[in-house]
Amino acid sequence: MSQNRTDTAFRPKRPPPKDLAAPQLRALRKELLLVRADVERMELAEATFELKQAVTHFRWLRFLLPMFGQGGARSASIGLLLKDHPLVGSLLSLLLAKPLRAGLVKGAKPALKWGAVALGAWEAFRIWRQVQAEKREAEESADAADGGMGISE
C-alpha cells in the first residue's frame, strides 16, 4: 500500500523564518516598492523609445508632437512653448477637448446612419448597373447570333 505524499515532501527543510519587527517590514516593503518603481520607469522609457522608432516616418505626428523625430522650426517652437508654459497646453486641452468630443459624439450617430444608407444605395446602384450591362450583352449576343445565321424578319 502506497502512501500519498505532498509536493513539499522531497524539498529540503528550511529553517523557520525569523519574525521581523514592524519597522523592518515597512523598510523592506519600501525597498521593494522603490525597486518596482525603478523597473517600471525603465520599462516605460524602453517602450517610449520603441514607440518613437515605430512612428518616426509619420510626418504629421512630428508636427503635432515634436518629441517624435526631428521636426522643423515650427514644431520645435510649438514644443518649446508647451514645455515652457504648461498652463497653455492645459488651457488648450480644456478648451478643445470637450467641444470636440461633444461634437464628434453628436455628429457620429447621424453620420454613421446616413453613411450606411449611402453605402446601401451605392451598392444597389452598382448591382443595377451590372444587371443592365448583362442584359445588353445578352441582347447583343442574341442579335449577333441571329444576324450571323441569316434569319430575317
Side-chain angles (χ1 to χ4, degrees), residues 10 25 36 38-39 72 82-83 91 109 150 152:
F10 299 106
L25 285 174
R36 185 182 299 165
D38 287 341
V39 168
L82 294 177
K83 187 176 181 181
L91 288 174
K109 188 175 179 181
S152 61

Side-chain angles (χ1 to χ4, degrees), residues 22-83:
Q24 292 171 329
L25 285 174
R26 282 194 299 270
L28 181 64
R29 286 185 188 138
K30 180 180 176 184
E31 287 299 320
L32 286 173
L33 288 173
L34 288 173
V35 169
R36 185 182 299 165
D38 287 341
V39 168
E40 289 179 0
R41 195 175 301 118
M42 289 173 54
E43 288 175 352
L44 179 64
E46 183 180 347
T48 303
F49 177 75
E50 290 174 0
L51 178 67
K52 284 180 184 180
Q53 294 300 319
V55 297
T56 53
H57 60 280
F58 294 131
R59 292 191 186 274
W60 59 271
L61 190 59
R62 287 183 196 168
F63 175 73
L64 293 176
L65 301 170
M67 66 182 209
F68 292 113
Q70 288 80 20
R74 178 185 291 172
S75 65
S77 64
I78 292 171
L80 288 175
L81 176 71
L82 294 177
K83 187 176 181 181

Side-chain angles (χ1 to χ4, degrees), residues 43-147:
E43 288 175 352
L44 179 64
E46 183 180 347
T48 303
F49 177 75
E50 290 174 0
L51 178 67
K52 284 180 184 180
Q53 294 300 319
V55 297
T56 53
H57 60 280
F58 294 131
R59 292 191 186 274
W60 59 271
L61 190 59
R62 287 183 196 168
F63 175 73
L64 293 176
L65 301 170
M67 66 182 209
F68 292 113
Q70 288 80 20
R74 178 185 291 172
S75 65
S77 64
I78 292 171
L80 288 175
L81 176 71
L82 294 177
K83 187 176 181 181
D84 291 342
H85 306 287
L87 188 61
V88 172
S90 297
L91 288 174
L92 284 174
S93 174
L94 180 68
L95 292 174
L96 296 176
K98 179 139 174 115
L100 287 177
R101 187 174 54 239
L104 287 175
V105 170
K106 190 176 181 181
K109 188 175 179 181
L112 285 173
K113 179 176 77 172
W114 289 109
V117 168
L119 181 64
W122 173 251
E123 289 297 321
F125 175 71
R126 283 185 48 216
I127 292 170
W128 176 79
R129 204 168 56 183
Q130 187 177 6
V131 168
Q132 293 299 323
E134 288 175 1
K135 279 185 184 179
R136 266 191 307 246
E137 289 176 9
E139 289 174 359
E140 289 174 1
S141 64
D143 288 343
D146 289 344

